[in-house]
Amino acid sequence: MSEEQKKRVRRSPEQARQHILSCAEEILIRQGIQAVEVRAVARAASMTDAGINHHFGSLNGLLEALMTEGARKVRQAVENVVADWIESGPDIASLVEAIGKLYRDGYAALAIQLHKSGWQERGTPLLAPVIEPLMAINRNAQTTEKDLKIALASLHLWLAFDPLYGSEFRRSVGLHARNDRAAQLDWWSQSLTRMLT
C-alpha cells in the first residue's frame, strides 16, 4: 500500500465537502484569495483535483460554496452577538468586531471576486437580526428604522472593504494606515450609539 493510499480517509459526501471547505478556508485566511486554487485545495485536503471537482464542479463552484459558508459564519456571528445582547444589552462594538474579523480573514476579497462574477447572497439579510434589538433601545425620536438600516448598510460596506482598501483611504486624509483603524472602529460604534440616544 502506497503512502498516499494510507493517507486517504473515507468520508461521507457531506464530510468530504466540509473537509474541502475547511482546507480552502485555511488557504484563504493564510495566503489570500489568489491562492485558493483547485490544485492547492486538493493538496491540502489530501485529495485529487478530480475529487474537488466531483464535489464542487469547478473552482468557481468551490469559491461559491466557500462564500456561502462565509455568509453562514457572518450570520452565526451576528446571532451570537444578538444572543449576548439579551443578557447585557446591545453592544455595537461587539457587532462591529465579530463581523470585521471574518472579512479580515479573507472573506472580503472572496465576496468581491464572486460579486464581480454575478454571485448574490440569498436568504435573510445578514444583519436583519440586529434591527429589532437596536430599535428596541432607540431613544432618539428622529432615528427611524430606515435610518438605522442605512447606517448598518454603510457599516457593513466599510467592514467588507476596509481589509482591502481601508489603509489607502485613511492615507488619503492623512491618517496612519494601520494605527487609525481602531479609531475608525470606535467612530462607527460611537456614531451608531449616538443615533439611538
Side-chain angles (χ1 to χ4, degrees), residues 3-196:
E3 196 62 37
E4 188 174 310
Q5 289 171 322
K6 287 179 190 175
K7 286 182 185 176
R8 288 194 182 157
V9 176
R10 289 262 181 226
R11 295 181 175 92
S12 71
E14 186 51 37
Q15 288 172 328
R17 283 179 60 85
Q18 278 307 123
H19 176 66
I20 293 165
L21 284 174
S22 177
C23 292
E25 182 180 48
E26 191 174 313
I27 292 169
L28 175 69
I29 291 169
R30 282 190 292 114
Q31 300 172 40
I33 185 64
Q34 71 285 349
V36 181
E37 299 174 339
V38 171
R39 179 159 289 147
V41 174
R43 192 174 321 118
S46 298
M47 297 178 77
T48 63
D49 294 9
I52 304 297
N53 289 328
H54 169 76
H55 289 285
F56 296 98
S58 65
L59 175 59
N60 205 44
L62 173 62
L63 293 176
E64 286 181 17
L66 188 58
M67 191 63 220
T68 299
E69 178 67 6
R72 186 196 64 75
K73 287 184 175 193
V74 170
R75 275 196 176 82
Q76 187 63 57
V78 168
E79 287 172 15
N80 291 344
V81 166
V82 171
D84 289 344
W85 289 358
I86 292 169
E87 291 180 21
S88 59
D91 175 13
I92 293 166
S94 65
L95 174 72
V96 169
E97 184 51 39
I99 297 169
K101 180 181 181 333
L102 289 166
Y103 284 120
R104 287 190 307 274
D105 281 349
Y107 281 98
L110 178 59
I112 289 169
Q113 179 173 326
L114 287 174
H115 281 290
K116 282 182 187 177
S117 71
W119 180 87
Q120 291 183 357
E121 216 282 303
R122 308 266 187 250
T124 308
L126 288 173
L127 298 182
V130 173
I131 305 297
E132 188 178 326
L134 291 180
M135 286 307 293
I137 64 159
N138 183 14
R139 301 294 173 252
N140 185 345
Q142 298 199 352
T143 297
T144 66
E145 186 172 315
K146 184 175 181 180
D147 295 331
L148 181 60
K149 286 179 178 180
I150 289 168
L152 287 171
S154 299
L155 168 63
H156 195 192
L157 181 69
W158 176 72
L159 288 170
F161 281 93
D162 186 70
L164 302 173
Y165 310 114
S167 60
E168 294 169 31
F169 283 95
R170 281 188 285 279
R171 277 195 303 271
S172 74
V173 294
L175 293 171
H176 300 300
R178 288 201 175 123
N179 297 345
D180 289 321
R181 183 179 188 284
Q184 208 167 353
L185 276 168
D186 288 343
W187 180 87
W188 273 107
S189 296
Q190 290 170 17
S191 296
L192 284 168
T193 300
R194 276 193 300 270
M195 277 185 73
L196 301 171

